[in-house]
């Protein structure tokens, strides 16, 4: 409950859970959204920025609470958990890193006065398209991996490998039943 | 390796940005996206490192 309350203050909930990098990321994202909302050049996209800010205000305490519960139950928690897509594959996707670098460079060029973000703002739907393409790419690569696993399983007679089991499998151990002789 | 560097370098960068602000060269308001670039760089290197450890798919 304390984490839920502290999560209302940008970065503090994450720091309370020992996730310092995530705390800094929360502060940077929250501060960036507030700064952009206050900027004159953001007039056309203020509703979108306001919605993102509201989402961030709701997300931070909930994420801090969820992480605190995960820590209590002994689950491993990554330094940037919750900022990444769910699942342990999150850290292996370069899209987040590339996205953060691109965002950082765009904002840096704007704040240093070399280039104005205002010229780019009308093209914000491109972000939605890129996100959609990324999700489709992930979906198709996962499907291809599943099919490969099934094909290997059908040749070897073993059950198909299920990707990323989230809970321990209950029931009898895998393998032939005790009354059946292996061929 | 890169996970161990993330936070210390973040602190050094934050300190350097505030020093630059104090010196009057660049304000923190202008330079804070450097922190975002660093976080992105560490995530990218981490994912490349993970990919290298997993190696090419067998087959």
């Amino acid at each position: 409950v304390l984490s839920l309350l502290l999560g209302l203050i940008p970065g503090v909930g994450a720091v309370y859970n020992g996730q310092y990098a995530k705390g800094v990321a929360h502060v940077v994202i929250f501060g960036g959204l507030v700064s952009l909302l206050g900027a004159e050049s953001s007039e056309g996209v203020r509703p979108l920025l306001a919605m993102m800010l509201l989402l961030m205000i709701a997300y931070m305490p909930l994420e801090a609470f969820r992480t605190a519960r995960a820590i209590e139950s002994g689950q491993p928690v990554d330094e940037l958990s919750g900022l990444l897509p769910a699942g342990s594959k999150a850290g292996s996707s370069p899209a987040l890193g590339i996205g953060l670098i691109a965002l950082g460079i765009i904002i840096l060029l704007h704040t240093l006065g070399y280039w104005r973000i205002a010229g780019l703002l009308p093209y914000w739907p491109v972000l939605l398209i890129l996100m959609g393409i990324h999700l489709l790419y992930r979906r198709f690569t996962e499907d291809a991996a599943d099919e490969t696993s099934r094909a290997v399983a059908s040749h070897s007679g073993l059950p198909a490998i299920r990707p990323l089991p989230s809970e321990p499998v209950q029931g009898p151990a895998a393998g032939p039943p005790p009354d059946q002789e292996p061929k | 390796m890169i996970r161990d560097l993330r936070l210390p370098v973040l602190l050094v960068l934050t300190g350097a940005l505030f020093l630059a602000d104090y010196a009057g060269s660049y304000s923190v308001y202008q330079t804070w996206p450097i922190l975002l670039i660093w976080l992105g760089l560490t995530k990218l290197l981490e994912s490349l490192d993970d990919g290298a450890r997993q190696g090419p798919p067998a087959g």
Side-chain angles (χ1 to χ4, degrees):
Chain A
V1 178
L2 184 61
S3 62
L4 193 70
L5 290 173
L6 289 175
L8 287 168
I9 309 166
V12 179
V15 168
Y16 173 72
N17 287 326
Q19 297 175 299
Y20 299 102
K22 190 162 95 175
V24 173
H26 280 184
V27 170
V28 168
I29 294 169
F30 192 86
L33 284 172
V34 171
S35 304
L36 283 173
L37 258 176
E40 285 178 17
S41 56
S42 69
E43 205 156 307
V45 287
R46 271 190 191 145
L48 176 72
L49 291 171
M51 292 289 282
M52 287 171 71
L53 195 63
L54 282 175
L55 181 72
M56 197 66 195
I57 291 167
Y59 157 81
M60 287 186 301
L62 290 175
E63 177 56 31
F65 181 67
R66 219 166 54 105
T67 307
R69 281 187 65 182
I71 291 170
E72 265 181 16
S73 63
Q75 289 173 22
V77 176
D78 185 54
E79 179 80 14
L80 283 171
S81 69
L83 284 176
L84 305 168
S88 58
K89 261 188 76 181
S92 62
S93 168
L96 180 78
I98 293 170
L100 281 176
I101 293 171
L103 188 67
I105 290 172
I106 288 170
I107 299 175
L108 187 65
L109 287 174
H110 174 80
T111 55
L112 292 178
Y114 292 115
W115 184 63
R116 297 278 105 190
I117 279 183
L120 195 71
L121 287 180
Y123 299 102
W124 68 265
V126 172
L127 281 179
L128 293 180
I129 295 169
L130 287 177
M131 279 171 71
I133 290 171
H134 176 62
L135 290 177
L136 281 173
Y137 170 75
R138 268 184 56 186
R139 178 64 190 265
F140 284 124
T141 49
E142 278 171 14
D143 282 353
D146 280 356
E147 277 173 22
T148 310
S149 170
R150 272 191 222 111
V152 169
S154 66
H155 280 290
S156 63
L158 294 169
I161 301 164
R162 290 185 183 179
L164 306 170
S166 55
E167 289 176 9
V169 178
Q170 300 293 322
D179 57 343
Q180 187 182 337
E181 290 283 322
K183 290 176 186 173
Chain B
M1 168 68 178
I2 197 73
R3 281 176 205 185
D4 299 334
L5 286 177
R6 187 190 287 151
L7 184 63
V9 175
L10 200 65
L11 288 176
V12 170
L13 277 177
T14 310
L17 296 190
F18 275 99
L19 266 182
D21 191 354
Y22 182 71
S25 45
Y26 290 104
S27 81
V28 173
Y29 172 75
Q30 290 175 301
T31 52
W32 68 264
I34 290 173
L35 302 179
L36 210 59
I37 295 172
W38 169 245
L39 280 178
L41 199 63
T42 56
K43 286 311 300 175
L44 184 62
L45 291 175
E46 209 174 277
S47 66
L48 293 177
D49 193 34
D50 284 352
R53 270 189 208 164
Q54 283 167 8

